[in-house]
Amino acid sequence: VSNSFNLDPLALDGNAKGNCLMTSTTTCAAAAFTTANTNDVIYVYCGETSITDTYSAPTDTASNTYTSRTSVSLTNRLIHSYYSVWTGSGSLTVSCNYTSQSAVRTTVFVIAISGASIGDCGSGGVTCFDTNAAIPKTATVDSATSVTATISTSNANDFILSGSVTNIRETVVYEHG
């Protein structure tokens, strides 16, 4: 997330994680958190342990619209990332929405970032992100060795989001700026 034109520093304004074992066609991965600032960029990672289920964008208690940023499929796991802009502050619960036909583990991880240049990100645009072509970056490996994702940024004041998921022998690394 970028702050190329804003004088306020980028800061973590809230985060949460939720997970569950989904045994029917329900949505159960939800994360509740609280923010202190308005106009946060909300970044959501949704994951599940099945690649045959259907999914849709996350929903939240403020009726924000989420836009897909990346999606990666491993042998037995799907990882999706989404973003939105929340103009309010206070309590918010975000849910990942999957329709499962079997028992699967679902996870949601939510990060709220204040001070970003939000631009058109609340309506599906990407101006809140660094414009460097190297972002977003994912890397996967199907072996027991390490995996690295290298990115470059165009702005000095970026908030770098990074994560990794290991699934038996496959590993994916996410880098977002």
Side-chain angles (χ1 to χ4, degrees):
V1 177
S2 184
N3 183 11
S4 60
F5 303 108
N6 199 334
L7 299 178
D8 294 330
L10 290 171
L12 181 64
D13 195 23
N15 66 75
K17 179 185 176 196
N19 59 48
C20 70
L21 181 62
M22 188 165 57
T23 58
S24 63
T25 58
T26 60
T27 298
C28 62
F33 62 102
T34 302
T35 65
N37 300 295
T38 59
N39 296 321
D40 284 354
V41 173
I42 307 295
Y43 208 87
V44 181
Y45 288 100
C46 296
E48 66 164 327
T49 57
S50 173
I51 59 170
T52 60
D53 296 333
T54 58
Y55 62 92
S56 59
T59 56
D60 67 32
T61 51
S63 299
N64 290 310
T65 300
Y66 287 85
T67 302
S68 178
R69 180 76 169 147
T70 59
S71 182
V72 174
S73 177
L74 299 174
T75 301
N76 292 312
R77 183 175 297 264
L78 284 173
I79 310 296
H80 310 281
S81 66
Y82 300 89
Y83 64 93
S84 187
V85 173
W86 185 29
T87 58
S89 64
S91 298
L92 186 67
T93 300
V94 178
S95 299
C96 288
N97 301 306
Y98 292 98
T99 302
S100 176
Q101 304 304 318
S102 60
V104 297
R105 169 89 35 208
T106 62
T107 302
V108 57
F109 184 68
V110 182
I111 302 166
I113 302 167
S114 64
S117 301
I118 59 173
D120 63 355
C121 280
S123 59
V126 294
T127 56
C128 61
F129 295 103
D130 189 297
T131 58
N132 194 294
I135 304 171
K137 177 74 172 184
T138 59
T140 59
V141 65
D142 185 16
S143 69
T145 62
S146 64
V147 61
T148 303
T150 302
I151 65 169
S152 299
T153 63
S154 299
N155 302 316
N157 298 318
D158 282 354
F159 195 110
I160 305 297
L161 305 174
S162 177
S164 65
V165 176
T166 300
N167 183 37
I168 304 173
R169 292 180 52 209
E170 289 178 296
T171 301
V172 63
V173 177
Y174 293 96
E175 301 269 332
H176 303 277

